[in-house]
Amino acid sequence: MNNMSKNSCIIFSDLDGTLLCCDTYSFEGATPALEFLRKKNVPLVFCSSKTKAEIMHYRKKLNNYHPFISENGGAIFIPVGYKGFEVDYTRVEGDYWVIELGTRREVLLKALESVCARTVSKTRGFSDMNAEEVARLTGLPQEEARLALERHYSEPFFIMEGDPGAVLREIENMGLQWTSGGRFLHVIGRSDKGRAVRLLSDIYKNNARDINWITIGCGDSLNDLPMLKAVDKAVLLKNLRGVYDPGVRVPGLLYEENGPAGWGEAVLRLIQQYGPTD
Ligand SMILES: [Mg+2]
């Protein structure tokens, strides 16, 4: 960094159980921090296990026009023409440049099927459910549960019968990854939140070189670990059981209370510390 460069932050944030309350999906309590970020023009990038359709719903609700990362790092969506950035994208989808990182869901579903056969177990995933069942399991309104079913790069599931350890090991043996977002296990390809966050951070850094970018990550679950490892300042919130996920260990990790109010406090504190100052 030279003396001329000014500091700014990029906030990468999980949604469920982090910016959104794990039971009500409300972001009440985070409003002062959200307004502050908007005033200071700090990019707030949603990085969630949620689908593109769900994240678009929350972007609208939260008045957010920044890039976002869907399905645990399956894809990065950048609004076409965003900040005049030059982006090496995979394709254009409506108003977005898409950088595809994940493994297609059809491949994941086939793999999960053979994992079950090999380990003599039974799983139940979103592909087996309708919106009503997803709504019942997640507490989401049925309209939002329908958006959660529009998946392309991941499959949330739970294990109904069999040895969970064997199922997870077999997923790894097939060259895929599993993670946990609090309520469900997820099977994903070789992509994760960390890979997507690194790539998107580099896009900011390469396109806005006059700014000394400091990356901040906020999450509450194991699926956030790769993201928290990929940022300069990592914040862990208590999970839906009211404890810090014991699987999330990162050097220098900052601990915060749960929910949108805890999120807001952490974000305000870090922005005041790291900028932008004007
Ligand atoms: Mg979460």
Side-chain angles (χ1 to χ4, degrees):
M1 165 176 80
N2 63 46
N3 291 334
M4 296 301 288
S5 59
K6 53 181 182 183
N7 283 354
S8 188
C9 297
I10 311 167
I11 318 272
F12 292 99
S13 182
D14 172 47
L15 288 173
D16 292 353
T18 299
L19 173 53
L20 306 177
C21 168
C22 53
D23 299 317
T24 63
Y25 298 95
S26 154
F27 52 88
E28 212 189 304
T31 314
L34 290 166
E35 273 167 17
F36 191 76
L37 293 182
R38 205 167 298 130
K39 208 172 82 196
K40 295 278 182 185
N41 221 354
V42 173
L44 168 60
V45 174
F46 299 149
C47 181
S48 174
S49 61
K50 285 186 177 297
T51 63
K52 176 196 179 193
E54 288 179 283
I55 298 176
M56 280 175 61
H57 169 80
Y58 280 99
R59 276 172 96 246
K60 211 167 170 188
K61 250 178 132 165
L62 285 138
N63 219 352
N64 179 294
Y65 301 100
H66 296 289
F68 61 92
I69 295 163
S70 71
E71 294 186 63
N72 283 315
I76 303 173
F77 294 86
I78 302 172
V80 169
Y82 181 74
K83 289 185 186 286
F85 283 6
E86 271 180 36
V87 174
D88 196 6
Y89 52 83
T90 317
R91 61 166 189 280
V92 180
E93 209 176 279
D95 299 333
Y96 296 99
W97 289 322
V98 186
I99 302 173
E100 194 172 49
L101 303 170
T103 301
R104 303 293 307 173
R105 190 189 189 197
E106 305 84 78
V107 177
L108 300 173
L109 293 178
K110 273 227 153 66
L112 197 54
E113 215 177 283
S114 79
V115 165
C116 286
R118 282 189 219 178
T119 57
V120 201
S121 13
K122 221 173 138 185
T123 60
R124 187 165 180 80
F126 275 24
S127 63
D128 306 307
M129 302 180 195
N130 58 20
E132 201 184 334
E133 187 174 352
V134 171
R136 188 157 33 85
L137 290 170
T138 56
L140 284 170
Q142 218 177 104
E143 195 44 53
E144 284 182 42
R146 204 161 288 128
L147 304 179
L149 289 172
E150 292 181 28
R151 313 200 78 84
H152 301 287
Y153 310 102
S154 63
E155 176 69 353
F157 69 99
F158 54 88
I159 299 166
M160 300 177 72
E161 278 169 36
D163 172 10
V167 171
L168 300 180
R169 266 194 309 279
E170 195 55 30
I171 289 174
E172 290 170 8
N173 288 343
M174 296 194 75
L176 301 171
Q177 300 190 90
W178 61 270
T179 188
S180 163
R183 278 191 174 84
F184 300 100
L185 291 161
H186 299 256
V187 59
I188 52 177
R190 297 315 305 168
S191 60
D192 56 37
K193 287 190 179 190
R195 196 177 150 210
V197 162
R198 263 185 220 102
L199 215 155
L200 189 50
S201 298
D202 284 345
I203 290 173
Y204 278 94
K205 288 172 185 171
N206 291 333
N207 279 280
R209 290 175 183 270
D210 54 327
I211 295 172
N212 176 42
W213 292 104
I214 292 144
T215 55
I216 295 170
C218 304
D220 72 315
S221 298
L222 191 63
N223 65 333
D224 298 312
L225 177 61
M227 167 177 76
L228 298 179
K229 281 182 172 169
V231 293
D232 300 316
K233 302 287 158 196
V235 181
L236 180 67
L237 282 79
K238 284 182 180 167
N239 64 18
L240 78 170
R241 283 172 279 278
V243 297
Y244 295 111
D245 190 313
V248 179
R249 285 198 212 101
V250 182
L253 187 60
L254 305 165
Y255 293 90
E256 190 57 62
E257 285 304 310
N258 62 342
W263 180 93
E265 270 172 42
V267 163
L268 284 176
R269 211 172 44 239
L270 287 165
I271 294 292
Q272 270 146 16
Q273 202 171 345
Y274 296 102
T277 41
D278 50 3

